[in-house]
mmCIF file of all heavy atoms in Angstrom:
data_model
loop_
_atom_site.group_PDB
_atom_site.id
_atom_site.type_symbol
_atom_site.label_atom_id
_atom_site.label_comp_id
_atom_site.label_asym_id
_atom_site.label_seq_id
_atom_site.Cartn_x
_atom_site.Cartn_y
_atom_site.Cartn_z
ATOM 1 N N GLY A 50 0.471 12.923 6.676
ATOM 2 C CA GLY A 50 -0.573 11.997 6.675
ATOM 3 C C GLY A 50 -0.126 10.638 7.015
ATOM 4 O O GLY A 50 1.064 10.195 6.802
ATOM 5 N N PHE A 51 -1.026 9.814 7.408
ATOM 6 C CA PHE A 51 -0.792 8.344 7.693
ATOM 7 C C PHE A 51 -2.040 7.568 7.346
ATOM 8 O O PHE A 51 -3.138 8.150 7.305
ATOM 9 C CB PHE A 51 -0.380 8.201 9.165
ATOM 10 C CG PHE A 51 -1.465 8.387 10.179
ATOM 11 C CD1 PHE A 51 -2.393 7.629 10.631
ATOM 12 C CD2 PHE A 51 -1.493 9.784 10.679
ATOM 13 C CE1 PHE A 51 -3.337 7.897 11.544
ATOM 14 C CE2 PHE A 51 -2.483 10.165 11.654
ATOM 15 C CZ PHE A 51 -3.382 9.220 12.100
ATOM 16 N N ILE A 52 -1.848 6.342 7.137
ATOM 17 C CA ILE A 52 -2.941 5.398 6.700
ATOM 18 C C ILE A 52 -3.384 4.483 7.843
ATOM 19 O O ILE A 52 -2.403 3.962 8.553
ATOM 20 C CB ILE A 52 -2.564 4.579 5.497
ATOM 21 C CG1 ILE A 52 -2.386 5.581 4.275
ATOM 22 C CG2 ILE A 52 -3.607 3.579 5.195
ATOM 23 C CD1 ILE A 52 -1.859 4.880 3.131
ATOM 24 N N THR A 53 -4.637 4.296 8.147
ATOM 25 C CA THR A 53 -5.103 3.379 9.098
ATOM 26 C C THR A 53 -5.978 2.381 8.465
ATOM 27 O O THR A 53 -6.840 2.834 7.581
ATOM 28 C CB THR A 53 -5.906 4.113 10.187
ATOM 29 O OG1 THR A 53 -4.991 5.091 10.813
ATOM 30 C CG2 THR A 53 -6.385 3.217 11.205
ATOM 31 N N GLU A 54 -6.001 1.193 8.814
ATOM 32 C CA GLU A 54 -6.862 0.170 8.237
ATOM 33 C C GLU A 54 -7.988 -0.127 9.349
ATOM 34 O O GLU A 54 -7.580 -0.519 10.470
ATOM 35 C CB GLU A 54 -6.093 -1.108 7.886
ATOM 36 C CG GLU A 54 -7.031 -2.166 7.307
ATOM 37 C CD GLU A 54 -6.224 -3.456 6.941
ATOM 38 O OE1 GLU A 54 -4.982 -3.495 7.047
ATOM 39 O OE2 GLU A 54 -6.939 -4.370 6.566
ATOM 40 N N LEU A 55 -9.151 -0.246 8.904
ATOM 41 C CA LEU A 55 -10.325 -0.546 9.781
ATOM 42 C C LEU A 55 -11.209 -1.487 9.128
ATOM 43 O O LEU A 55 -11.777 -1.174 8.017
ATOM 44 C CB LEU A 55 -11.097 0.618 10.178
ATOM 45 C CG LEU A 55 -10.401 1.626 11.114
ATOM 46 C CD1 LEU A 55 -11.388 2.963 11.234
ATOM 47 C CD2 LEU A 55 -10.091 1.093 12.490
ATOM 48 N N LYS A 56 -11.259 -2.713 9.549
ATOM 49 C CA LYS A 56 -12.066 -3.840 8.878
ATOM 50 C C LYS A 56 -11.792 -3.942 7.464
ATOM 51 O O LYS A 56 -12.755 -4.068 6.637
ATOM 52 C CB LYS A 56 -13.520 -3.474 9.180
ATOM 53 C CG LYS A 56 -13.916 -3.463 10.617
ATOM 54 C CD LYS A 56 -15.421 -3.254 10.762
ATOM 55 C CE LYS A 56 -15.813 -3.257 12.325
ATOM 56 N NZ LYS A 56 -17.256 -3.046 12.480
ATOM 57 N N GLY A 57 -10.541 -3.968 7.058
ATOM 58 C CA GLY A 57 -10.198 -4.071 5.629
ATOM 59 C C GLY A 57 -10.335 -2.833 4.722
ATOM 60 O O GLY A 57 -10.187 -2.895 3.520
ATOM 61 N N VAL A 58 -10.729 -1.700 5.338
ATOM 62 C CA VAL A 58 -10.895 -0.515 4.610
ATOM 63 C C VAL A 58 -9.800 0.468 5.016
ATOM 64 O O VAL A 58 -9.461 0.598 6.375
ATOM 65 C CB VAL A 58 -12.258 0.258 4.870
ATOM 66 C CG1 VAL A 58 -12.445 1.494 4.090
ATOM 67 C CG2 VAL A 58 -13.411 -0.867 4.473
ATOM 68 N N TYR A 59 -9.125 1.177 4.163
ATOM 69 C CA TYR A 59 -8.059 2.053 4.447
ATOM 70 C C TYR A 59 -8.603 3.496 4.570
ATOM 71 O O TYR A 59 -9.370 3.921 3.741
ATOM 72 C CB TYR A 59 -7.033 2.004 3.331
ATOM 73 C CG TYR A 59 -6.249 0.765 3.284
ATOM 74 C CD1 TYR A 59 -6.599 -0.274 2.457
ATOM 75 C CD2 TYR A 59 -5.218 0.505 4.246
ATOM 76 C CE1 TYR A 59 -5.948 -1.481 2.359
ATOM 77 C CE2 TYR A 59 -4.615 -0.765 4.247
ATOM 78 C CZ TYR A 59 -4.904 -1.751 3.397
ATOM 79 O OH TYR A 59 -4.206 -2.952 3.332
ATOM 80 N N PHE A 60 -8.070 4.221 5.497
ATOM 81 C CA PHE A 60 -8.317 5.681 5.718
ATOM 82 C C PHE A 60 -7.139 6.491 5.679
ATOM 83 O O PHE A 60 -6.075 6.064 6.315
ATOM 84 C CB PHE A 60 -9.193 5.840 6.994
ATOM 85 C CG PHE A 60 -10.594 5.241 6.891
ATOM 86 C CD1 PHE A 60 -10.851 3.923 7.264
ATOM 87 C CD2 PHE A 60 -11.630 6.072 6.440
ATOM 88 C CE1 PHE A 60 -12.091 3.441 7.117
ATOM 89 C CE2 PHE A 60 -12.895 5.497 6.409
ATOM 90 C CZ PHE A 60 -13.133 4.171 6.677
ATOM 91 N N LEU A 61 -7.102 7.596 5.041
ATOM 92 C CA LEU A 61 -5.956 8.524 5.148
ATOM 93 C C LEU A 61 -6.237 9.630 5.957
ATOM 94 O O LEU A 61 -7.286 10.383 5.753
ATOM 95 C CB LEU A 61 -5.653 9.035 3.625
ATOM 96 C CG LEU A 61 -4.576 10.092 3.415
ATOM 97 C CD1 LEU A 61 -3.294 9.578 3.877
ATOM 98 C CD2 LEU A 61 -4.542 10.560 1.935
ATOM 99 N N ASN A 62 -5.436 9.970 6.946
ATOM 100 C CA ASN A 62 -5.691 11.052 7.869
ATOM 101 C C ASN A 62 -4.508 12.033 7.660
ATOM 102 O O ASN A 62 -3.401 11.720 7.780
ATOM 103 C CB ASN A 62 -5.575 10.479 9.337
ATOM 104 C CG ASN A 62 -5.918 11.553 10.407
ATOM 105 O OD1 ASN A 62 -5.793 12.740 10.129
ATOM 106 N ND2 ASN A 62 -6.384 11.146 11.540
ATOM 107 N N ILE A 63 -4.940 13.264 7.278
ATOM 108 C CA ILE A 63 -3.841 14.304 7.078
ATOM 109 C C ILE A 63 -4.088 15.553 7.812
ATOM 110 O O ILE A 63 -5.277 15.842 8.234
ATOM 111 C CB ILE A 63 -3.737 14.596 5.570
ATOM 112 C CG1 ILE A 63 -5.026 15.222 4.964
ATOM 113 C CG2 ILE A 63 -3.296 13.424 4.747
ATOM 114 C CD1 ILE A 63 -4.811 15.747 3.562
ATOM 115 N N SER A 64 -3.025 16.261 8.094
ATOM 116 C CA SER A 64 -3.109 17.525 8.751
ATOM 117 C C SER A 64 -2.148 18.492 8.125
ATOM 118 O O SER A 64 -1.035 18.075 7.557
ATOM 119 C CB SER A 64 -2.809 17.525 10.230
ATOM 120 O OG SER A 64 -1.623 16.837 10.490
ATOM 121 N N GLN A 65 -2.404 19.805 8.158
ATOM 122 C CA GLN A 65 -1.530 20.756 7.400
ATOM 123 C C GLN A 65 -0.394 21.212 8.305
ATOM 124 O O GLN A 65 -0.555 21.320 9.482
ATOM 125 C CB GLN A 65 -2.371 21.986 6.880
ATOM 126 C CG GLN A 65 -1.538 22.880 6.024
ATOM 127 C CD GLN A 65 -2.473 23.845 5.335
ATOM 128 O OE1 GLN A 65 -3.695 24.014 5.645
ATOM 129 N NE2 GLN A 65 -1.919 24.611 4.386
ATOM 130 N N TYR A 66 0.774 21.463 7.642
ATOM 131 C CA TYR A 66 1.908 21.872 8.335
ATOM 132 C C TYR A 66 2.562 23.123 7.793
ATOM 133 O O TYR A 66 2.189 23.473 6.600
ATOM 134 C CB TYR A 66 3.039 20.846 8.325
ATOM 135 C CG TYR A 66 2.769 19.630 9.285
ATOM 136 C CD1 TYR A 66 1.809 18.787 9.134
ATOM 137 C CD2 TYR A 66 3.626 19.591 10.383
ATOM 138 C CE1 TYR A 66 1.547 17.798 10.021
ATOM 139 C CE2 TYR A 66 3.361 18.614 11.336
ATOM 140 C CZ TYR A 66 2.343 17.705 11.164
ATOM 141 O OH TYR A 66 1.979 16.636 12.127
ATOM 142 N N LYS A 67 3.291 23.782 8.492
ATOM 143 C CA LYS A 67 3.912 25.043 8.015
ATOM 144 C C LYS A 67 4.905 24.683 6.978
ATOM 145 O O LYS A 67 5.582 23.642 6.973
ATOM 146 C CB LYS A 67 4.701 25.696 9.215
ATOM 147 C CG LYS A 67 3.818 26.358 10.264
ATOM 148 C CD LYS A 67 4.611 27.026 11.343
ATOM 149 C CE LYS A 67 3.790 27.566 12.463
ATOM 150 N NZ LYS A 67 4.600 28.033 13.533
ATOM 151 N N ALA A 68 5.090 25.551 6.027
ATOM 152 C CA ALA A 68 6.089 25.237 4.905
ATOM 153 C C ALA A 68 7.481 25.176 5.570
ATOM 154 O O ALA A 68 7.824 25.921 6.436
ATOM 155 C CB ALA A 68 5.971 26.452 3.869
ATOM 156 N N ASN A 69 8.254 24.281 4.983
ATOM 157 C CA ASN A 69 9.643 24.066 5.363
ATOM 158 C C ASN A 69 9.894 23.682 6.853
ATOM 159 O O ASN A 69 11.014 23.852 7.315
ATOM 160 C CB ASN A 69 10.502 25.282 4.990
ATOM 161 C CG ASN A 69 10.367 25.625 3.546
ATOM 162 O OD1 ASN A 69 10.357 24.696 2.706
ATOM 163 N ND2 ASN A 69 10.210 26.903 3.227
ATOM 164 N N THR A 70 8.831 23.162 7.499
ATOM 165 C CA THR A 70 9.098 22.767 8.884
ATOM 166 C C THR A 70 8.310 21.474 9.197
ATOM 167 O O THR A 70 7.537 21.047 8.273
ATOM 168 C CB THR A 70 8.599 23.819 10.008
ATOM 169 O OG1 THR A 70 7.212 23.848 9.973
ATOM 170 C CG2 THR A 70 9.077 25.188 9.665
ATOM 171 N N ASN A 71 8.452 20.926 10.296
ATOM 172 C CA ASN A 71 7.689 19.728 10.641
ATOM 173 C C ASN A 71 6.720 20.187 11.767
ATOM 174 O O ASN A 71 6.215 19.310 12.489
ATOM 175 C CB ASN A 71 8.636 18.670 11.141
ATOM 176 C CG ASN A 71 9.291 17.906 10.006
ATOM 177 O OD1 ASN A 71 8.762 17.888 9.001
ATOM 178 N ND2 ASN A 71 10.461 17.461 10.216
ATOM 179 N N GLU A 72 6.411 21.400 11.960
ATOM 180 C CA GLU A 72 5.476 21.898 12.908
ATOM 181 C C GLU A 72 4.050 21.882 12.303
ATOM 182 O O GLU A 72 3.905 22.321 11.178
ATOM 183 C CB GLU A 72 5.855 23.352 13.366
ATOM 184 C CG GLU A 72 7.204 23.501 14.001
ATOM 185 C CD GLU A 72 7.469 24.909 14.254
ATOM 186 O OE1 GLU A 72 6.611 25.644 14.634
ATOM 187 O OE2 GLU A 72 8.663 25.258 14.124
ATOM 188 N N ILE A 73 3.139 21.515 13.221
ATOM 189 C CA ILE A 73 1.683 21.592 12.745
ATOM 190 C C ILE A 73 1.310 22.982 12.567
ATOM 191 O O ILE A 73 1.742 23.861 13.353
ATOM 192 C CB ILE A 73 0.816 20.884 13.744
ATOM 193 C CG1 ILE A 73 -0.671 20.546 13.153
ATOM 194 C CG2 ILE A 73 0.723 21.547 15.094
ATOM 195 C CD1 ILE A 73 -1.404 19.576 13.899
ATOM 196 N N LEU A 74 0.512 23.256 11.608
ATOM 197 C CA LEU A 74 0.010 24.650 11.355
ATOM 198 C C LEU A 74 -0.815 25.112 12.504
ATOM 199 O O LEU A 74 -1.815 24.438 12.931
ATOM 200 C CB LEU A 74 -0.759 24.660 10.005
ATOM 201 C CG LEU A 74 -1.153 26.052 9.558
ATOM 202 C CD1 LEU A 74 -0.097 26.933 9.156
ATOM 203 C CD2 LEU A 74 -2.036 25.872 8.284
ATOM 204 N N VAL A 75 -0.421 26.154 13.210
ATOM 205 C CA VAL A 75 -1.120 26.599 14.394
ATOM 206 C C VAL A 75 -2.460 27.322 13.963
ATOM 207 O O VAL A 75 -2.435 28.217 13.176
ATOM 208 C CB VAL A 75 -0.298 27.596 15.277
ATOM 209 C CG1 VAL A 75 -0.977 28.035 16.453
ATOM 210 C CG2 VAL A 75 1.034 26.780 15.676
ATOM 211 N N GLN A 76 -3.475 26.768 14.479
ATOM 212 C CA GLN A 76 -4.830 27.324 14.298
ATOM 213 C C GLN A 76 -5.553 27.268 15.637
ATOM 214 O O GLN A 76 -5.085 26.647 16.600
ATOM 215 C CB GLN A 76 -5.598 26.472 13.234
ATOM 216 C CG GLN A 76 -4.982 26.513 11.956
ATOM 217 C CD GLN A 76 -5.716 25.509 10.951
ATOM 218 O OE1 GLN A 76 -6.583 24.706 11.393
ATOM 219 N NE2 GLN A 76 -5.296 25.550 9.739
ATOM 220 N N GLU A 77 -6.690 27.979 15.666
ATOM 221 C CA GLU A 77 -7.473 27.869 16.883
ATOM 222 C C GLU A 77 -7.768 26.402 17.279
ATOM 223 O O GLU A 77 -7.578 26.067 18.506
ATOM 224 C CB GLU A 77 -8.906 28.603 16.697
ATOM 225 C CG GLU A 77 -9.100 29.737 17.586
ATOM 226 C CD GLU A 77 -10.475 30.326 17.295
ATOM 227 O OE1 GLU A 77 -11.568 29.727 17.606
ATOM 228 O OE2 GLU A 77 -10.533 31.345 16.577
#
Side-chain angles (χ1 to χ4, degrees):
F51 62 90
I52 295 175
T53 301
E54 181 183 355
L55 295 172
K56 298 182 179 181
V58 178
Y59 292 99
F60 290 88
L61 175 64
N62 186 334
I63 64 173
S64 53
Q65 191 168 7
Y66 281 70
K67 293 179 183 177
N69 302 318
T70 73
N71 285 329
E72 298 175 37
I73 193 162
L74 186 64
V75 177
Q76 300 173 350
E77 235 179 80

